Amino acid sequence: MAILGAKTFQNYIDGEWLDAASGETFESTSPANGDTVGVFPKSGPEDVDRAVVAAKAASEEWRLVPAPKRGEVLFRFAQLLAEHKDDVTDLMTHEMGKVKAEAAGDVQEAIDMAYYMGGEGRRLFGQTTPSELRDKFQMSVRMPVGVVGAITPWNFPIAIPSWKTLPAIVCGNTVVFKPATDTPALGERYVELFAQAGLPKGVLNIVHGGGSDVGQRLVEHPDVPIITFTGSRETGVAVTKAAAENLKHVHLELGGKNAIIVMDDADLDLAVDGIVWSAFGTSGQRCTAASRVIVHEAVYDQLASRLVTRVEQMRLGPGWEDDTDVGPVINKGALDKIHSYTEIGEDEGAKLLTGGEVAEGNGLEKGFYYRPTVFGDVQSGMRIAQEEIFGPTTALIRVRSLDEAIAVSNGVKYGLSSSIFSGDVNKAFRAMRDLDTGITYINAGTIGAEVHLPFGGTKDTGNGHREAGQAALDVFTEWKSIYVDYSGKLQRAQIDTAE
Ligand code: NAD
């Protein structure tokens, strides 16, 4: 590939590729080795306004295109993305840093979502119900909301835009999309392929730039009735406040502090596989990453030692190399933050079992690599067991019973994903009922969602909405209830009665 050098990219607004109105630019660089991936427009409010005007105009026609026809564009997009899967995967290993298999999974998730949501073009089911009155028909139908502002993070740079734009578009909305400034090339590629699939101009627009310039204007724009946002809790709160003035719909997918429970009757080899995958996949930079492991005291020592042995065998390197297990973290700020949590953990009295340092040597110093880190003897109230680190660090917490394990798992402000390893079906069902998260896995780690089930979390992970599956349609449509009275006379609900 793939590395794009100093190629300059543009915004895509109303079917045209355009520079930022200011003419300013910013660079995207690889977290793996510092290479330049591309140069992108550093847009501002004027560019957002232009994109919103285009999206608003396009929505007048797009909402009238029959939904099955809208779905056909998604099918073509799915095919195109599948044809380009290898090059988009390669670009992701360079720009975002995740390892090849995971980058391919990120792209595959968008392909799956495009097929799933394309099929919604022939469903978008509403309801019909009988009326209390004679000669009266009633139904509910889904209506598009209008212009959707989609603001995304860098950690799933193809999948997350797909979770937002695909249901939005098949439901008849138009979109202004602001990707993260760490992954603009992937956002650009996504939009380019979607446009090639035959989207009419103005239906999907991309405006590159920072949160306070582009994101904030999108959130405040009076002609954008709905914001779909994935990112940190702090930004989610800021978005909610800024959107309140216009009473916008706000759909939030925020952070996590997910835990795997390992009971004394668990298959420990399987549990170690699940922990390694969930804690260190994507270098721990998944909202569903397992940054806590809650272990029954009877198997704690055995599990800790097996886990540390496995973790110390993991090879760090650029994501595009076949034998890399752990890629870089996204940028210098993330590296510093992750290391600061190692210091916090040591100060709090947790025991550093392995890792805990910036990785150097063999060229790793050119990028942002952190050794996979495991803390033992962690107390559930410690900051490393409460706060989202978003890096390759996990904390082992010892418990004596299932009740205690569930209480510890639930004892954080987030509620995204949870997991339990146990051979006992009764314990598994209690966990399914009592773990306060939007997603629970039994005998699997905390990561691995599929596109046809709802995705999202309880408590501070969001505000009650879900992406993916049928639930996404509730975000991107308004219900309309329609009553058709064909009796030819005035019939008053709750007052007149049918014979
Ligand atoms: P972030 O909050 O820093 O940024 C997310 C996006 O918001 C970026 O595009 C950013 O430019 C934009 N933004 C920043 N300030 C803004 C503002 N004032 N107004 C509007 N937009 C603004 O998050 P990040 O560091 O990119 O991503 C990591 C976070 O995302 C983690 O907390 C992670 O858990 C979370 N996440 C959640 C999910 C989920 O589905 N629950 C999925 C992936 C990531």
Side-chain angles (χ1 to χ4, degrees):
M1 111 121 225
I3 214 66
L4 305 169
K7 187 173 169 196
T8 299
F9 294 85
Q10 294 173 302
N11 292 325
Y12 185 67
I13 298 175
D14 208 14
E16 281 185 70
W17 295 98
L18 300 168
D19 292 333
S22 67
E24 287 183 50
T25 57
F26 68 96
E27 252 189 35
S28 169
T29 54
S30 172
N33 60 10
D35 280 356
T36 301
V37 175
V39 178
F40 293 85
K42 188 167 184 295
S43 316
E46 269 179 76
D47 304 290
V48 174
D49 291 357
R50 189 168 181 168
V52 173
V53 167
K56 195 175 174 199
S59 77
E60 283 310 313
E61 169 54 23
W62 185 243
R63 73 188 175 91
L64 302 177
V65 172
K69 289 277 162 212
R70 298 196 298 248
E72 283 171 17
V73 184
L74 272 64
F75 289 138
R76 285 198 294 276
F77 174 54
Q79 281 162 0
L80 268 176
L81 202 48
E83 282 164 28
H84 290 275
K85 184 172 171 182
D86 289 349
D87 64 274
V88 179
T89 297
D90 193 36
L91 177 61
M92 198 181 301
T93 62
H94 285 82
E95 187 176 52
M96 184 274 158
K98 61 177 76 175
V99 301
K100 209 187 284 181
E102 292 182 44
D106 192 315
V107 180
Q108 186 60 45
E109 195 158 326
I111 296 168
D112 295 346
M113 188 64 95
Y115 280 121
Y116 179 83
M117 286 296 167
E120 274 312 314
R122 288 195 181 268
R123 286 188 295 269
L124 287 180
F125 294 141
Q127 300 107 30
T128 61
T129 67
S131 170
E132 300 165 3
L133 296 163
R134 282 177 186 261
D135 299 331
K136 196 175 167 195
F137 175 82
Q138 47 203 37
M139 62 186 164
S140 63
V141 293
R142 292 185 179 277
M143 305 298 286
V145 188
V147 178
V148 174
I151 302 174
T152 58
W154 45 265
N155 68 334
F156 277 86
I158 294 290
I160 292 181
S162 83
W163 298 351
K164 299 185 181 309
T165 60
L166 296 168
I169 286 172
V170 83
C171 288
N173 305 283
T174 56
V175 179
V176 178
F177 164 39
K178 188 207 97 59
T181 45
D182 283 306
T183 50
L186 289 155
E188 197 270 350
R189 196 79 185 102
Y190 179 87
V191 169
E192 193 182 10
L193 288 171
F194 211 162
Q196 266 179 39
L199 266 188
K201 66 184 187 140
V203 173
L204 175 60
N205 308 273
I206 186 168
V207 182
H208 293 284
S212 49
D213 305 319
V214 175
Q216 185 140 347
R217 176 63 183 155
L218 206 44
V219 173
E220 288 170 353
H221 201 295
D223 288 334
V224 179
I226 167 170
I227 294 291
T228 173
F229 170 86
T230 298
S232 63
R233 181 191 181 281
E234 292 64 33
T235 315
V237 170
V239 165
T240 307
K241 286 183 181 163
E245 198 56 44
N246 287 306
L247 292 173
K248 294 188 183 207
H249 300 198
V250 179
H251 162 234
L252 302 175
E253 297 293 343
L254 309 176
K257 190 69 190 173
N258 316 290
I260 292 176
I261 295 172
V262 183
M263 293 307 296
D264 49 351
D265 52 19
D267 175 337
L268 287 194
D269 288 332
L270 182 62
V272 170
D273 284 345
I275 296 163
V276 168
W277 172 228
S278 302
F280 305 113
T282 323
S283 305
Q285 305 169 107
R286 290 190 184 216
C287 48
T288 50
S291 57
R292 299 181 296 154
V293 182
I294 300 166
V295 193
H296 192 279
E297 59 181 356
V299 291
Y300 181 95
D301 290 337
Q302 227 191 107
L303 183 102
S305 102
R306 285 199 214 179
L307 179 63
V308 168
T309 306
R310 274 285 294 282
V311 169
E312 289 180 346
Q313 289 162 0
M314 296 182 96
R315 184 186 167 274
L316 277 84
W320 59 84
E321 289 180 1
D322 286 329
D323 55 351
T324 296
D325 298 308
V326 182
V329 299
I330 190 68
N331 54 34
K332 177 76 167 70
L335 195 66
D336 292 345
K337 178 180 168 194
I338 293 160
H339 188 61
S340 78
Y341 273 101
T342 297
E343 291 168 351
I344 290 167
E346 288 187 302
D347 288 348
E348 286 177 311
K351 192 167 161 195
L352 183 62
L353 300 180
T354 186
E357 58 183 14
V358 173
E360 290 173 343
N362 294 327
L364 294 182
E365 56 286 343
K366 287 196 230 152
F368 308 114
Y369 295 88
Y370 202 76
R371 294 239 173 263
T373 300
V374 181
F375 272 106
D377 295 337
V378 176
Q379 301 300 316
S380 59
M382 289 178 178
R383 285 183 62 192
I384 56 166
Q386 289 289 325
E387 297 173 17
E388 188 180 44
I389 300 172
F390 224 55
T393 300
T394 199
L396 303 186
I397 302 169
R398 196 188 305 252
V399 292
R400 286 175 296 274
S401 65
L402 178 63
D403 285 343
E404 189 185 353
I406 289 173
V408 169
S409 183
N410 289 345
V412 291
K413 67 182 172 194
Y414 297 110
L416 184 50
S417 184
S418 57
S419 136
I420 183 168
F421 284 87
S422 170
D424 180 343
V425 70
N426 297 340
K427 287 184 188 140
F429 268 87
R430 282 190 46 210
M432 286 182 234
R433 184 192 61 195
D434 294 339
L435 287 169
D436 187 1
T437 51
I439 307 167
T440 293
Y441 292 89
I442 308 300
N443 290 327
T446 49
I447 65 179
E450 300 183 27
V451 302
H452 36 284
L453 281 182
F455 182 94
T458 61
K459 301 192 282 188
D460 284 14
T461 293
N463 57 351
H465 299 289
R466 294 290 185 271
E467 329 230 39
Q470 293 292 293
L473 305 178
D474 290 331
V475 171
F476 296 108
T477 54
E478 292 267 24
W479 280 114
K480 176 178 271 190
S481 299
I482 298 175
Y483 301 89
V484 184
D485 191 319
Y486 55 98
S487 69
K489 60 184 185 209
L490 177 69
Q491 299 197 90
R492 299 168 302 174
Q494 292 90 38
I495 296 172
D496 296 324
T497 48
E499 295 304 313

